């Protein structure tokens, strides 16, 4: 990382190496890293704190850009955009300049606009400092990996997120249906926004039932649960690829008048969940978009339905607060409405 370490702290990053690796009796020598090292537990914090400190120094020069970057940075990735192609090009050049002053090289730009992508590539090529050299993994594994935004497959041409789960069904067919393999398959679902929540929660419920019956980790699961496993994997095999538009405003043709977050929660004896949609209105249009969802299996201890309904309401409150915090810069006047069908959950906080 391009983050220097104070001289007083260099001994923390001390390591042993040989003076000449091809010698018959190489001598050990002590070296010290002078930069923050990848893999150290404190490295993500040090990187984020350094980036935040560097960006906040520029608040007086370009407050709007700095706030946008602060809200759009996750570890070493930035996800941001603009209303027009000119806005995006300006964002690209200004953000590169700000980070360049701190010794950071913003690279690997990707956009859903082909013309903007071409202009950025020309700009990158003109300056040898910003050429994107292949990494070691690209040399060894190739560069045919699909485009991902924080781990989510993204098609920049269609500007949509794409999900395909049939390959997990083929993987499940090769696995012996044991408790260990069930949890291994569940772990292969990467869905931070909850697009696949209705699918994943069924596998979580199956794993919970395996825990309840105290099935051995490497023994074939009981017959009654084996049929449920086969049904789930069969459904995965038949699932078609799913595409979800990335932009909330893509279908609107008139200026936005209002934006409201609508959250819903519900519970059953086996699981509870929360989901958030955004409702966008113009003078004549009204469009709703899925934003995020969370699911939880019911606790093993056994809870009453009213308490599970209350847990779902609590889950929704946390989810919609997080979503509101993330979207408040894009939608300054963002209203919030939450819904539950449980009167007990609505009245219970009054007696707590």
């Amino acid at each position: 990382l391009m983050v220097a370490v104070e001289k007083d702290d260099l001994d923390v990053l001390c390591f042993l190496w040989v003076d000449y690796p091809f010698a018959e009796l190489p001598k050990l020598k002590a070296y010290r890293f002078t930069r923050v090292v990848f893999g150290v537990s404190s490295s993500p914090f040090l990187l984020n704190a350094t980036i935040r400190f560097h960006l906040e120094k520029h608040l007086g020069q370009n407050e709007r850009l700095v706030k946008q970057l602060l809200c759009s940075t996750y570890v070493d990735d930035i996800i941001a955009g603009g209303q027009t192609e000119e806005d995006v090009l300006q964002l690209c050049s200004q953000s590169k300049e700000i980070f360049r002053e701190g010794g950071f090289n913003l690279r690997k730009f990707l956009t859903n606009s082909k013309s903007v992508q071409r202009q950025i590539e020309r700009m990158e090529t003109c300056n040898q400092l910003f050429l994107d050299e292949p990494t070691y993994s690209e040399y060894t594994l190739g560069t045919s990996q699909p485009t991902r935004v924080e781990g989510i497959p993204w098609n920049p041409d269609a500007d949509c997120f794409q999900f395909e789960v049939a390959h997990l069904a083929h993987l499940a067919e090769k696995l012996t249906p044991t408790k260990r393999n069930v949890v291994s398959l569940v772990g292969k679902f990467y869905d931070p926004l909850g697009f696949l929540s209705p699918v994943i929660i069924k596998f979580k419920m199956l794993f919970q039932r395996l825990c309840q019956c105290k099935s051995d980790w490497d023994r074939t699961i009981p017959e009654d649960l084996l049929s449920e496993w086969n049904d789930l994997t069969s459904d995965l095999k038949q699932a078609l690829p799913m595409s979800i538009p990335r932009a909330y405003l893509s279908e609107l043709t008139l200026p936005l008048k209002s934006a409201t977050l609508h959250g819903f929660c519900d519970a059953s004896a086996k699981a509870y969940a929360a989901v958030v949609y955004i409702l966008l209105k113009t003078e004549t249009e009204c469009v709703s978009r899925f934003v995020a969802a969370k699911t939880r299996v019911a606790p093993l201890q056994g809870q009453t339905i009213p308490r599970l309904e209350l847990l779902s309401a609590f889950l929704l409150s946390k989810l919609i607060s997080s979503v509101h915090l993330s979207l408040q810069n894009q939608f300054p006047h963002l209203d919030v409405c939450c819904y539950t069908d449980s009167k007990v959950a609505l009245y219970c906080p009054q007696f707590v």
Side-chain angles (χ1 to χ4, degrees), residues 72-126:
S72 306
T73 303
Y74 180 76
V75 189
D76 58 350
D77 292 327
I78 296 176
I79 305 174
Q83 296 296 323
T84 65
E85 293 185 350
E86 291 74 17
D87 291 342
V88 175
L89 288 171
Q90 186 179 31
L91 170 65
C92 173
S93 60
Q94 291 181 348
S95 58
K96 282 183 71 71
E97 179 60 25
I98 287 180
F99 277 92
R100 185 191 63 78
E101 294 178 10
F104 299 101
N105 176 20
L106 286 187
R107 58 195 185 105
K108 295 186 179 181
F109 286 91
L110 191 63
T111 171
N112 59 332
S113 170
K114 292 184 178 180
S115 62
V116 172
Q117 187 70 38
R118 286 193 295 268
Q119 292 183 63
I120 291 177
E121 289 173 356
R122 284 198 298 268
M123 180 179 66
E124 296 282 86
T125 306
C126 289

Side-chain angles (χ1 to χ4, degrees), residues 37-182:
V37 184
F38 274 111
V40 178
S41 58
S42 59
S43 295
F45 164 76
L46 294 172
L47 175 62
N48 288 335
T50 302
I51 290 177
R52 176 171 289 274
F53 175 78
H54 175 68
L55 290 176
E56 288 177 348
K57 291 195 302 182
H58 294 78
L59 275 171
Q61 303 173 18
N62 195 333
E63 182 178 358
R64 183 174 177 274
L65 174 63
V66 170
K67 287 185 175 180
Q68 184 180 11
L69 292 175
L70 287 172
C71 295
S72 306
T73 303
Y74 180 76
V75 189
D76 58 350
D77 292 327
I78 296 176
I79 305 174
Q83 296 296 323
T84 65
E85 293 185 350
E86 291 74 17
D87 291 342
V88 175
L89 288 171
Q90 186 179 31
L91 170 65
C92 173
S93 60
Q94 291 181 348
S95 58
K96 282 183 71 71
E97 179 60 25
I98 287 180
F99 277 92
R100 185 191 63 78
E101 294 178 10
F104 299 101
N105 176 20
L106 286 187
R107 58 195 185 105
K108 295 186 179 181
F109 286 91
L110 191 63
T111 171
N112 59 332
S113 170
K114 292 184 178 180
S115 62
V116 172
Q117 187 70 38
R118 286 193 295 268
Q119 292 183 63
I120 291 177
E121 289 173 356
R122 284 198 298 268
M123 180 179 66
E124 296 282 86
T125 306
C126 289
N127 194 333
Q128 294 295 321
L129 177 64
F130 296 138
L131 282 178
D132 192 9
E133 297 180 356
T135 63
Y136 174 76
S137 62
E138 291 172 342
Y139 275 124
T140 55
L141 302 176
T143 58
S144 60
Q145 298 297 320
T147 300
R148 292 179 178 270
V149 178
E150 298 302 342
I152 303 176
W154 176 51
N155 182 343
D157 294 331
D159 197 16
C160 62
F161 296 120
Q162 295 181 327
F163 294 90
E164 195 274 321
V165 295
H167 70 283
L168 293 177
H170 297 302
L171 175 62
E173 289 181 339
K174 301 176 183 178
L175 297 175
T176 303
T178 64
K179 182 178 177 181
R180 188 182 305 279
N181 287 335
V182 170

Side-chain angles (χ1 to χ4, degrees), residues 163 165 186 189-206 232 236 242 244 264 271-277 290-297 315 319:
F163 294 90
V165 295
V186 173
F189 286 99
Y190 182 75
D191 182 33
L193 294 179
F195 292 113
L196 304 177
S197 291
V199 176
I200 299 175
I201 188 61
K202 292 182 179 180
F203 283 91
K204 289 182 177 179
M205 290 163 57
L206 172 61
L232 290 175
L236 282 183
M242 180 174 59
I244 300 175
F264 302 86
Y272 56 97
V275 61
V276 176
Y277 294 86
F290 172 90
V291 179
K294 289 288 184 183
T295 58
R296 296 284 188 274
V297 292
L315 181 65
L319 177 63

